[in-house]
Amino acid sequence: TLMKIQRSQEDFLEAILVLSLSGQPVHSVDIAEHLDYSKPSVSRAVAQLVQKGLVTMEDDKSLMLTQEGKMQADTVYEKHVFFTQMLLQAGVEEKVAAEDACKIEHAISEEAFSKIKTAYAKNHGNK
């Protein structure tokens, strides 16, 4: 099971994951731009994530997810993608779908998400 972390910390981990998909090193300034947060609040959050062992700061000041951090980020991101797709298929406008998915991803329990995913796959013929 994953350690309990704050919603904003989940957002930061997810941002590092998403930004790292480009293959470029991720820095605090990139997260600030991505999430539209101030640099000082990103620096504070990053320090907390480093302290919790979820993120490491490399010599070049780039941020890397630890194994635990990556698991946390993957969990949040999977929910985000799932709910965004579900809302888009239901006809919700893209910007609203992404914003609502972001709210749902933090609010839903692992158990409920697992059951919704299974039921959705069953009803849509996926595995």
Side-chain angles (χ1 to χ4, degrees):
T1 54
L2 299 171
M3 74 168 76
K4 277 276 176 227
I5 59 172
Q6 297 166 346
R7 179 181 170 166
S8 61
Q9 292 176 328
E10 288 181 344
D11 283 338
F12 283 101
L13 294 175
E14 184 183 16
I16 295 169
L17 175 70
V18 170
L19 291 165
S20 70
L21 296 175
S22 72
Q24 297 297 313
V26 179
H27 294 88
S28 293
V29 64
D30 303 318
I31 299 168
E33 283 174 20
H34 183 77
L35 293 174
D36 198 22
Y37 277 48
S38 71
K39 285 187 201 135
S41 60
V42 171
S43 296
R44 270 195 308 277
V46 165
Q48 290 170 347
L49 293 170
V50 168
Q51 198 177 0
K52 287 188 170 175
L54 299 171
V55 173
T56 57
M57 188 175 284
E58 306 301 302
D59 293 339
D60 66 356
K61 298 282 188 241
S62 66
L63 304 171
M64 301 283 290
L65 295 169
T66 64
Q67 193 174 352
E68 173 75 17
K70 174 125 174 50
M71 283 170 29
Q72 291 267 10
D74 284 341
T75 301
V76 178
Y77 188 57
E78 181 192 9
K79 291 178 192 173
H80 184 88
V81 171
F82 177 83
F83 288 113
T84 301
Q85 291 305 317
M86 187 187 269
L87 292 165
L88 288 171
Q89 286 169 4
V92 177
E93 190 260 316
E94 195 170 341
K95 188 176 187 305
V96 176
E99 287 171 2
D100 285 353
C102 194
K103 294 172 193 156
I104 297 167
E105 76 196 25
H106 298 295
I108 194 165
S109 69
E110 287 305 315
E111 181 188 2
F113 178 60
S114 176
K115 290 194 166 140
I116 288 173
K117 215 169 50 172
T118 302
Y120 192 77
K122 217 179 284 175
N123 293 334
H124 291 79
N126 302 334
K127 287 189 172 59

